[in-house]
Amino acid sequence: MLVLGTLIAVSGKGGTGKTLISALIIRCLVEASRALGYEKRSILAIDADPDANLADALGIEIDVRRTVGYVAMEFKEMASRGALPPGIDKGSYLESKVMEVVYELEDFDLLVMWRTEGEGCYCFVNEVLSKALDWLVGGYDIVVMDCEAGLEHFNRRLFKAVDHLIIVVDGSRQSFETAKRIKEVVEEVKIGVKNMWIVGNRIPSGCEEIVYRRAEEVGIPLLGIVPLHEDIYRLYIEGKPVTELPRDHIVVKSVESMLRKLGLI
């Protein structure tokens, strides 16, 4: 059963294809939402990776001035000059500026983190993004966040609670080691994760059992497997979004199956 503000966070080792999985999840949710007609659900996509590749995967062109990173840097610069508007507290002003950079698209909204300048600024942007989650999540039916690769978002407790944490692996031992470490960090810093899943991506035919076994060893249930397919590489090479995949493509259907398993479509 869908609960207002359902948060899906997609993480994993760099290079495993978490942005692809995030984009496919959003695509499938949008298509399911269209089918609901007047009961259309509100969806927010968050690109929390400084590389900002989710918009490209969805075929959306962004303006760097409409990103959390830009808002944070502008806010910090104005605060240092004492140039913030009088009569309004800093938190309310920052919230209003973040709300201004949310892209309101036809089928879903999009918030982009973008890259930052320097470690100190990076930490501040993460802080702003964390607060933005508090403001925004409850206002949408479903929020899908493409996380930064690795462990940083968990170490910094970017989010306090997650309904479905999806960790993408590519079958390599290193990707499962990252999944294991993410699980440990989540428990260490006490992030409230209701459900944690592993998704195998780019898995060759005949290797499914290996992925299932390794997921069991890590102690995280396997949600599903996205097969290795040359059409994905063709999209990458041609610079095309995942929305170009046919509706009945095996890669799309595999993600649909996972969302159905979660009761989200």
Side-chain angles (χ1 to χ4, degrees):
M1 181 179 179
L2 181 65
V3 178
L4 183 66
T6 295
L7 174 58
I8 305 169
V10 183
S11 187
K13 178 181 175 295
T16 54
K18 62 181 185 57
T19 296
L20 169 70
I21 300 302
S22 299
L24 287 169
I25 287 173
I26 293 161
R27 171 185 167 164
C28 292
L29 288 172
V30 164
E31 290 174 349
S33 182
R34 285 174 182 166
L36 293 174
Y38 70 92
E39 294 181 352
K40 183 176 178 181
R41 295 175 299 185
S42 57
I43 300 168
L44 172 65
I46 300 179
D47 188 347
D49 191 328
D51 288 334
N53 291 320
L54 182 60
D56 284 341
L58 292 167
I60 301 165
E61 187 174 343
I62 64 167
D63 179 347
V64 296
R65 292 169 296 182
R66 289 190 63 184
T67 63
V68 176
Y70 190 88
V71 165
M73 287 188 288
E74 186 179 57
F75 176 87
K76 206 169 185 180
E77 190 273 333
M78 290 177 67
S80 69
R81 293 189 289 108
L84 293 173
I88 182 172
D89 68 89
K90 292 180 180 180
S92 297
Y93 178 75
L94 193 55
E95 179 179 352
S96 69
K97 299 305 289 185
V98 170
M99 296 296 288
E100 286 178 10
V101 300
V102 174
Y103 291 77
E104 297 180 356
L105 308 170
E106 182 179 357
D107 294 304
F108 63 94
D109 291 351
L110 173 68
L111 181 66
V112 180
M113 178 173 174
W114 189 57
R115 61 187 179 273
T116 58
E117 298 177 0
E119 178 63 24
C121 185
Y122 182 80
C123 292
F124 181 60
V125 173
N126 270 279
E127 182 183 342
V128 173
L129 187 57
S130 179
K131 289 178 180 176
L133 282 172
D134 293 337
W135 306 327
L136 291 167
V137 170
Y140 291 85
D141 293 315
I142 307 177
V143 178
V144 181
M145 181 162 62
D146 180 19
C147 298
E148 178 189 5
L151 307 171
E152 286 308 304
H153 278 166
F154 302 100
N155 284 323
R156 292 191 176 100
R157 297 192 86 247
L158 175 65
F159 29 66
K160 301 174 183 66
V162 181
D163 294 280
H164 298 287
L165 173 56
I166 293 174
I167 305 172
V168 182
V169 300
D170 57 10
S172 67
R173 184 164 296 280
Q174 294 92 333
S175 66
F176 278 96
E177 285 298 319
T178 297
K180 180 181 179 182
R181 184 59 186 143
I182 288 173
K183 181 174 182 285
E184 292 170 348
V185 171
V186 164
E187 293 169 352
E188 286 170 8
V189 301
K190 295 180 171 56
I191 296 172
V193 176
K194 292 182 182 178
N195 303 285
M196 192 179 304
W197 309 95
I198 278 180
V199 166
N201 184 40
R202 299 194 301 259
I203 306 302
S205 178
C207 296
E208 295 86 356
E209 182 58 35
I210 297 173
V211 175
Y212 178 80
R213 187 173 67 250
R214 285 184 174 172
E216 275 195 323
E217 292 170 357
V218 173
I220 305 173
L222 180 67
L223 179 61
I225 287 177
V226 177
L228 180 68
H229 202 289
E230 64 180 13
D231 286 348
I232 298 299
Y233 291 98
R234 186 175 294 111
L235 288 178
Y236 287 158
I237 292 170
E238 295 176 354
K240 294 180 178 179
V242 298
T243 49
E244 301 241 342
L245 288 172
R247 175 72 177 76
D248 61 350
H249 197 282
I250 187 173
V251 169
V252 177
K253 301 301 285 185
S254 65
V255 175
E256 265 188 5
S257 176
M258 296 178 212
L259 293 175
R260 198 167 288 112
K261 183 176 177 179
L262 297 180
L264 296 176
I265 63 173

